[in-house]
Amino acid sequence: MEIHKEKILVVDDEASIRRILETRLSMIGYDVVTAADGEEALDIFHKTEPDLVVLDVMMPKLDGYGVCQELRKESDIPIIMLTALGDVADRITGLELGADDYVVKPFSPKELEARIRSVLRRVEKNGAPGIPSSGVISIGSIKIDTNKRQVYKGDERIRLTGMEFSLLELLVSRSGEPFSRSEILQEVWGYTPERHVDTRVVDVHISRLRAKLEDDPSNPELILTARGTGYLFQRILEPGEEL
């Protein structure tokens, strides 16, 4: 029986980077396809249906931000952005557009490989402790199905990326308890922050979740800020339990 190999689309206008990543990722068991610009990336994405995209920011024809926006209109595929930009705000832009993580150039291929493994692992179904056996949690108009990894607001299904769902699942698993940004980064993204900016990955994903789930994202009632700590999900009461 043929074993399914996870497919990674590497998008970078530098041929040397494409070649290095294609070689290394193939050696550790991934099926790799490549693209040299943004337009080619979208074409290959539709033809090959990869499991994850490694996406450079600065490219001809259509930059990484544009590709990310187009992919997010139709897909929740994991996206890791490669950025050589020094400005923190520019790095955060990719996350705000829907990327799951970013790696700063010049980067260690081993670091990127670790990020890829972490993201792919987190977007697979793996229920968190503290989740009821049914896998279904309801709070107000929100229903979270951790078995199907789906979220509904009323009758409408809310599209979340794999990392957004993993973040929500973590917060819900210990509702009412605060998580620090560093703890969230380790639990969901699988690495320890080396720089203060690393924890902005968490802040941007929290903002994206609030925008999708809260009635008023500027005054959240579900995903709360723990002053001086990080974030927590509103305490979910057990059946028959009162505040």
Side-chain angles (χ1 to χ4, degrees):
M1 186 176 69
E2 184 178 350
I3 298 175
H4 171 69
K5 295 170 69 173
E6 289 167 312
K7 184 178 296 180
I8 297 176
L9 169 56
V10 174
V11 189
D12 199 299
D13 62 332
E14 294 184 52
S16 60
I17 290 181
R18 294 198 306 274
R19 193 160 49 245
I20 290 169
L21 293 182
E22 182 174 16
T23 300
R24 290 191 62 112
L25 294 173
S26 297
M27 286 176 62
I28 59 176
Y30 295 111
D31 186 5
V32 183
V33 290
T34 65
D37 62 63
E39 291 181 359
E40 184 183 15
L42 293 175
D43 183 51
I44 292 179
F45 171 80
H46 290 118
K47 289 178 178 176
T48 64
E49 299 182 352
D51 297 293
L52 180 143
V53 178
V54 176
L55 180 61
D56 188 33
V57 171
M58 304 300 288
M59 291 186 299
K61 296 185 181 179
L62 183 65
D63 67 14
Y65 297 146
V67 174
C68 188
Q69 282 182 298
E70 290 301 312
L71 290 178
R72 281 291 170 257
K73 289 177 183 178
E74 60 180 288
S75 174
D76 302 326
I77 187 171
I79 299 172
I80 298 177
M81 301 204 76
L82 304 179
T83 174
L85 302 173
D87 191 334
V88 170
D90 287 332
R91 298 186 209 167
I92 299 305
T93 297
L95 297 172
E96 291 174 337
L97 292 174
D100 295 285
D101 203 354
Y102 67 84
V103 175
V104 179
K105 289 181 174 181
F107 60 89
S108 156
K110 283 190 175 181
E111 177 190 10
L112 178 59
E113 291 161 16
R115 298 287 183 94
I116 289 171
R117 281 194 298 270
S118 179
V119 170
L120 287 174
R121 183 173 64 247
R122 289 303 307 185
V123 300
E124 293 170 354
K125 192 175 90 171
N126 55 343
I131 301 295
S133 56
S134 68
V136 177
I137 298 162
S138 295
I139 178 166
S141 63
I142 301 294
K143 184 178 83 170
I144 304 166
D145 187 331
T146 60
N147 291 327
K148 295 181 179 178
R149 293 180 69 81
Q150 295 178 355
V151 177
Y152 291 85
K153 188 173 184 180
D155 295 328
E156 179 189 2
R157 182 179 170 190
I158 305 299
R159 279 184 53 182
L160 300 184
T161 67
M163 298 302 276
E164 286 170 347
F165 190 91
S166 292
L167 171 57
L168 177 63
E169 186 177 34
L170 176 69
L171 295 175
V172 165
S173 71
R174 284 173 24 201
S175 69
E177 297 182 33
F179 287 85
S180 70
R181 289 171 175 82
S182 295
E183 188 177 5
I184 292 172
L185 197 65
Q186 288 175 290
E187 289 287 336
V188 177
W189 279 267
Y191 62 91
T192 303
E194 297 178 4
R195 303 165 296 273
H196 176 68
V197 67
D198 287 343
T199 57
R200 289 293 303 277
V201 173
V202 176
D203 295 332
V204 175
H205 275 73
I206 289 289
S207 294
R208 280 165 40 186
L209 273 180
R210 284 172 169 168
K212 293 180 179 183
L213 300 181
E214 301 278 3
D215 292 330
D216 179 5
S218 63
N219 185 28
E221 297 181 351
L222 297 173
I223 302 171
L224 310 176
T225 300
R227 298 294 177 195
T229 305
Y231 300 99
L232 73 155
F233 197 89
Q234 178 194 119
R235 185 170 171 233
I236 300 172
L237 299 178
E238 300 292 334
E241 185 181 7
E242 296 182 1
L243 282 173

